[in-house]
Amino acid sequence: MAKPCTKLEKRVFELSQKLPALTEKHELYGNKHGFYNYYDTSYSSICCLECGHKWKADLDKARHDCPECGLKLREISDHKTWMRAQAYLMVIDRIEEFQVLRYLYINKWMRKGQSPRYDHQEVSQVFIRPDGKVTIMGGDRNPFGAHYSPGWKYDSDLSIKKHNNCFYQNKYTEHYSALYPNKKIIPELKRNGFKSSFYNMNPTEMMQGLLKSPMLETLLKRGNKKLFQKGVKYMSSIEDYWDELKITFRKNYVIEDYGIWTDYIDMLRDNNKDTRNPKYVCPDDLSAAHNYWMQKKQKELAIQRSMDKKEQIKRAKEKVGEWKIKYPEIRKAFLDFSIKHDHITIEVITSVEQLEEEATLLEHCAFVNAYYSKEESLLLSARVDGTVIETIEINLRRMEIVQNRGWDNKVTAYGPKIIKLVEKNLPKIRKLHKKQLKLSA
């Protein structure tokens, strides 16, 4: 149990003791809204795990309505004598100047012929100061039990914890979660544009970003939800282009594809074009403008390769040359990684030369914009019957897909299927990334 050390931690610890306990009303809301309603099967019969009613039905159907309680049911995957589901209820509270996100962990125990039983435990409190500073009060976790459950220790009190998103996520991949409707919001968040929605983002990250960044405040108040989401996750992707973004705001210019637009702005800067000029920043046809400058840059690179006597070209070549040696080393753990499904094969791009060849073939800018130098980006090559069709970028820090691009930066008809296959294999990629970190240490 970590003791509070700083003045802020001591104050948070004291305020945590003053917070009112979560009530039965909170627990009942979490019980009702935190879970799916389940059924279990037995031969040709179905048993509702919410009310215990049993009846004969077509087992080929994925969903059923219970004729007794009227609930819509889905089949539970854990077929045992006692079946369990877990969920979290997030309660948005406040005390003095702090915004507090409180997480109630709920265990739901089910058995055929019986009503479900619930266990409740408040496992985390996230204190957010008006300047965005976050302090966490959390319960203890058992790492050896985390494979089968979140691993919370039921006999532990809340104490000061180091920052770890296991204490403040409300979107869990393995658990469903609910949000208590009565929210107590600090005035600073209301002033900065927060109303009620988190736009499918982590609430702590969203609130922290909104309190710390005037840029995010501007985006939210302008109603630009996609850019706001992008900024919360990758703040530098907004900060690096803020001057150009302000021009698009003044001209009411709609950015069709932010990834293409930022690549386009990068190429304008490389060509010393005036990126304060709306003529360049707000092209009528973004795709055509992007392709024009990309082809121009490719021609310049071709010229640079043939003019190795000039010092500037020599430095550029040295940079690429360094990465030709370094890149295979930082991807060594991924050499044997591949995904195969029907005619689709997805593998890691293992060299700068392979990326250059693929970028030339698909006519996108992954090579000319030096994606090989982004150490947090894992680049994958998707092929159908051996033919390259898309390049995929994964952010290894957040372990999520950033983009997938086919010929001319467009997404192919196979795109949705490729995304699903990669998302399914993210746990394996996470393990290989940990292995690579050890190899690079």
Side-chain angles (χ1 to χ4, degrees):
M1 178 177 178
K3 292 183 178 180
C5 299
T6 65
K7 287 183 179 179
L8 175 59
E9 289 178 350
K10 290 176 181 178
R11 185 151 182 266
V12 165
F13 186 84
E14 291 174 0
L15 291 176
S16 175
Q17 314 306 311
K18 296 178 182 179
L19 282 172
L22 297 179
T23 65
E24 185 180 1
K25 189 176 180 181
H26 293 104
E27 294 176 354
L28 292 175
Y29 187 90
N31 295 349
K32 182 177 180 181
H33 298 278
F35 299 91
Y36 296 113
N37 301 312
Y38 294 106
Y39 72 84
D40 196 18
T41 59
S42 177
Y43 299 104
S44 61
S45 297
I46 286 178
C47 182
C48 174
L49 296 176
E50 305 303 316
C51 69
H53 180 66
K54 189 176 182 180
W55 73 99
K56 290 188 178 294
D58 181 9
L59 299 184
D60 292 332
K61 290 175 61 179
R63 295 176 183 265
H64 294 271
D65 293 345
C66 177
E68 183 68 20
C69 63
L71 294 174
K72 295 184 180 297
L73 309 174
R74 61 162 55 189
E75 186 174 7
I76 195 165
S77 58
D78 190 14
H79 301 277
K80 297 179 180 178
T81 304
W82 277 100
M83 290 152 279
R84 185 178 72 162
Q86 302 109 47
Y88 291 84
L89 174 70
M90 185 174 71
V91 179
I92 301 180
D93 207 342
R94 59 171 291 188
I95 184 167
E96 298 191 12
E97 77 273 25
F98 288 91
Q99 185 68 65
V100 187
L101 306 181
R102 308 175 67 178
Y103 291 91
L104 182 70
Y105 174 58
I106 310 172
N107 259 319
K108 179 180 181 180
W109 299 92
M110 296 161 283
R111 188 172 187 173
K112 291 180 184 178
Q114 297 182 13
S115 297
R117 176 172 61 84
Y118 299 91
D119 298 326
H120 306 86
Q121 178 190 9
E122 186 172 6
V123 294
S124 179
Q125 296 170 352
V126 180
F127 284 74
I128 308 174
R129 212 164 58 175
D131 61 0
K133 178 76 173 177
V134 171
T135 308
I136 297 171
M137 293 285 294
D140 294 335
R141 291 165 60 87
N142 178 7
F144 300 104
H147 179 72
Y148 302 99
S149 71
W152 299 108
K153 293 182 179 179
Y154 286 100
D155 58 348
S156 68
D157 296 323
L158 299 185
S159 59
I160 296 291
K161 298 294 183 185
K162 292 182 179 179
H163 282 227
N164 187 321
N165 63 8
C166 70
F167 292 108
Y168 56 75
Q169 287 180 327
N170 87 312
K171 291 286 183 181
Y172 290 82
T173 55
E174 70 271 30
H175 307 295
Y176 190 64
S177 58
L179 172 64
Y180 194 67
N182 296 336
K183 307 179 185 72
K184 298 177 182 178
I185 307 297
I186 59 175
E188 289 82 1
L189 275 172
K190 293 180 181 179
R191 176 201 65 197
N192 289 7
F194 178 79
K195 293 182 179 178
S196 59
S197 176
F198 291 106
Y199 307 111
N200 293 318
M201 288 185 289
N202 184 300
T204 301
E205 290 183 352
M206 176 185 164
M207 288 182 169
Q208 187 178 24
L210 194 54
L211 289 168
K212 292 173 71 172
S213 172
M215 297 179 189
L216 292 180
E217 178 185 346
T218 300
L219 291 174
L220 184 60
K221 288 180 176 178
R222 287 184 57 85
N224 201 326
K225 297 174 185 175
K226 287 186 177 179
L227 279 187
F228 177 71
Q229 290 172 315
K230 186 86 172 176
V232 170
K233 290 183 177 181
Y234 310 103
M235 191 58 213
S236 62
S237 68
I238 299 297
E239 290 175 336
D240 294 346
Y241 305 94
W242 188 245
D243 289 336
E244 291 82 4
L245 278 170
K246 287 189 290 186
I247 295 172
T248 67
F249 298 159
R250 288 197 295 271
K251 295 295 179 180
N252 292 319
Y253 180 75
V254 178
I255 300 173
E256 300 167 358
D257 187 319
Y258 191 68
I260 294 292
W261 184 79
T262 53
D263 282 340
Y264 164 68
I265 296 297
D266 286 340
M267 288 185 282
L268 289 178
R269 292 172 178 174
D270 289 344
N271 284 275
N272 297 317
K273 293 300 177 182
D274 182 9
T275 55
R276 302 296 179 91
N277 188 338
K279 170 188 170 182
Y280 290 114
V281 175
C282 308
D284 293 332
D285 188 334
L286 175 60
S287 180
H290 173 275
N291 289 345
Y292 170 79
W293 289 105
M294 183 184 71
Q295 290 166 7
K296 183 177 176 64
K297 189 168 183 177
Q298 286 175 330
K299 289 178 182 178
E300 289 174 355
L301 285 174
I303 293 171
Q304 287 175 357
R305 293 189 190 100
S306 65
M307 297 173 62
D308 53 6
K309 291 182 180 181
K310 292 186 177 181
E311 186 63 27
Q312 182 182 359
I313 309 308
K314 183 180 178 182
R315 287 198 301 268
K317 277 197 157 192
E318 285 174 353
K319 181 182 178 182
V320 176
E322 290 170 4
W323 279 100
K324 283 182 178 179
I325 298 170
K326 185 177 179 181
Y327 184 82
E329 290 296 319
I330 65 173
R331 296 292 175 256
K332 189 180 292 184
F334 297 94
L335 289 177
D336 297 327
F337 174 78
S338 66
I339 304 170
K340 295 181 180 179
H341 185 272
D342 294 337
H343 301 286
I344 301 174
T345 303
I346 304 171
E347 296 178 335
V348 173
I349 293 175
T350 56
S351 69
V352 174
E353 292 86 351
Q354 183 186 350
L355 178 61
E356 181 179 13
E357 181 181 344
E358 185 157 316
T360 303
L361 181 66
L362 297 180
E363 296 186 21
H364 59 53
C365 58
F367 176 75
V368 296
N369 279 357
Y371 276 46
Y372 53 80
S373 65
K374 298 181 178 182
E375 295 196 42
E376 286 189 351
S377 291
L378 179 68
L379 303 174
L380 306 178
S381 173
R383 300 168 184 260
V384 173
D385 293 327
T387 302
V388 178
I389 59 165
E390 282 191 7
T391 306
I392 306 104
E393 179 188 3
I394 297 174
N395 183 279
L396 293 171
R397 181 174 60 85
R398 299 188 67 92
M399 205 51 63
E400 64 183 17
I401 298 169
V402 177
Q403 59 182 333
N404 59 309
R405 304 289 182 185
W407 181 82
D408 195 25
N409 282 293
K410 295 180 174 64
V411 177
T412 69
Y414 292 94
K417 183 67 176 178
I418 289 169
I419 291 296
K420 286 183 180 178
L421 289 172
V422 175
E423 286 178 341
K424 188 176 180 181
N425 283 270
L426 285 177
K428 187 175 180 181
I429 292 173
R430 182 182 285 107
K431 288 182 181 178
L432 291 173
H433 178 48
K434 290 180 180 178
K435 181 180 178 182
Q436 181 62 59
L437 291 175
K438 291 180 180 178
L439 291 174
S440 303

